[in-house]
Amino acid sequence: MAHNLRFSPGVLARLGEELVPHPDLGILELARNSYDADAGLCTISLTNVAVPGGTLIVDDDGDGMTGDQIVENFLIVGKSWKPEAIREEGARARVGEKGLGRLASLRLGRVVHLTTRPRSEPGREYRLTIDWRRYDGVTSVDMVDLEIKVGTTSRGHGTTVVVDALRTKFNKEDMQRLSRNLILLTGAFPDSPTGFTARVDAPEFETIADTVASGHQFFKEYEYKLVAELDENGQASAELFNWRGESIVKEGHEEVALKRYGRGKRDYPALFLAPTAKFELWMYLLDKESFTRRNSQFEVAQLRPWLREIGGVHLYHRGVRVTPYGDPGHDWLDLNLRRAASPEVRPSTNNSVGRIAVEDHPYPLQPKTDRMGFQEDSNFLQLREFAKRASDWAAHQRLKIREKQRSERSPKARVRKSQLEGEFQKILESLVPEDRRPLILRKWKEVTESSAALTKALEDDRLLYRTLGTLGTSTAVFAHEALAPSGHLQALLGSVGTRARQLISLEQFAEKIEPPLTDAVEIAQKMQSYTDLPLALLKKSKREVKIVDLNQACRGLVRMFQQQLGSRGIDVGLLLWEESLPLRTALADIESLLANFVINSAHAMVRPDAPAERRLEIATELIGKNIELVVADSGPGIVNIKIDDIWLPGETTRPNGTGMGLTIVRDIVSDLGGHISVTPHGRLGGAEFRVLVPAYVPDSEEPGAGR
């Protein structure tokens, strides 16, 4: 006796509800079906959806379905007629492939009413009702009969899907996400060629639609625009445009595909084995100067709401946007992470809008079963790598432009200064009587001398920090080179100990070999800790401005210095405020401040004139709207130098010291809008530094609330 493969109604739940993590995604899937049906308009209505049990109606003017198509395609789970269906020339490509999306969408409610009017049969409509509750009492889904009814209609071709008794409610967040996704589906960019519009009857949709639609004019407000392409042979090319629309530079595969950032060898792939693609990225400088220079009719504040809605890089497959790429929080190209490498010239999801358009040739992308993106196979990963490297190429070109401008700035300024002095002298001679010129010239001299003094101060700061930058770079390089030898040395010492135990008696080993070998191992461990420390301090990610918890930074820095402090017999006490203490700054700044305090204290406490007890305390406290940081030690205190002089670069009492540490501390505290004071002999006997800075308050307008 022959039998057929059957499946339980439970599979409907597995393939239905569990494929849709959010109800709005099910509606988005029905809108995609309308797109595939060559519809020009898809209208979505939601009633009584604030609580479960509401109604969803999706109506379009697409091709509709015949009775045979309902039976042979629509009602067969997992089958899609879309890829092989013959389309008229010029018709849009279909985006559905697995035939599971509609099931997940139809399972949003307990009853579905389908009414469809085929383009090929004017005046006729087909009606089908699916009551999912009828499947609850059967062992196999094929035990439930479905009837397709035929009737006449005066309406034009298209399909209407009514989903009654919705299983879940739609909150404001769901509606906002649905509205955004429907608008971005095909129409976020001004040149979208699909001729498809999806609308939802909801206030959230109108608000977001107005924001996105008005934003079409902002596409001309970019500072730079990247256009990169990947051809069918896997070869990449890219072109960078300035705000005037002029091409700045255009290069081919070897330069665009070059790996410039991150670990590993700087190389480039022979080919990108991915589908053909076009990557466009509009990059903005969100500052007043940029808009003024370009004579823009807009202000920065007008762009920000638009960028919040569509900022990031979106992926369009066959003309339709694919979620979640470009969704809030889904930075699939790591733009924000990579921006930490060079914040001034890199785009982020907050200041750029991008689009990658792909088809399926020659290496197609495979949609996931839940339609949330593509399977991350080799084709997809190669496409993503192409986009990342194109973005890196653009950042590299912008960096070259910036450095060229910077190098030309001083010579141009000197020439301009000479020109202005000549012009001033001519104006003075033509307009001012001769007897009054000396007074004006004297005041002018005072102004120029004051300006020169300021310039000299800034130049001194530049030289100071250039020296520190060189020192940090050199330290990082040598520390990185020393990591492997120090680790290898520890391994060799361990091997020596093992072999010595085999060649001599345990008594001889313990007496003659073990003591110096133990000392050598400790020295090797110290070497490694000294190489680990600068590498940890100099990480790029720490230079990104964000909200930093001072308490957490204190704990982290003490952990980094634990080996160095412990080897000197220094006891560390952390007396931290019980709640977090937020500052808006770079973690690198806070670590630099703390590290300079710790290093100064450590050196002080090992001086010959220091007390035997070595104690370092770091305390934090919230005082009103300010954060207090106190660093005290048990060293000899501040001696042999004036208190006011300790902040000066180059002033130090330590042999071979740089005298730069407290200068850096002073500048960091100043940048934070704070104040620093010092007691030569504090509560522990040694120096006691007290820093007071404003705590970060979101949206605060108070001076000093953030950097």
Side-chain angles (χ1 to χ4, degrees), residues 259-270:
K259 182 178 182 179
R260 289 183 167 85
Y261 301 95
R263 296 181 179 180
K265 183 180 178 182
R266 285 168 57 94
D267 61 359
Y268 67 91

Side-chain angles (χ1 to χ4, degrees), residues 340-343 537-545 586-589:
S342 186
L537 288 170
L538 293 169
K539 287 182 178 178
K540 291 180 181 178
S541 59
K542 294 184 177 181
R543 299 198 290 272
E544 179 183 357
V545 175
L587 179 57
D589 268 359

Side-chain angles (χ1 to χ4, degrees), residues 27 30 42-47 49 54-60 113 155 159-164 166 199-201:
I27 299 177
L30 292 176
C42 173
T43 303
I44 297 164
S45 301
L46 289 157
T47 56
V49 294
T55 299
L56 161 69
I57 302 175
V58 180
D59 184 82
D60 68 50
H113 303 282
R155 290 193 62 187
T159 298
T160 304
V161 176
V162 179
V163 183
D164 273 330
L166 293 173
R199 298 189 58 83
V200 59
D201 183 16

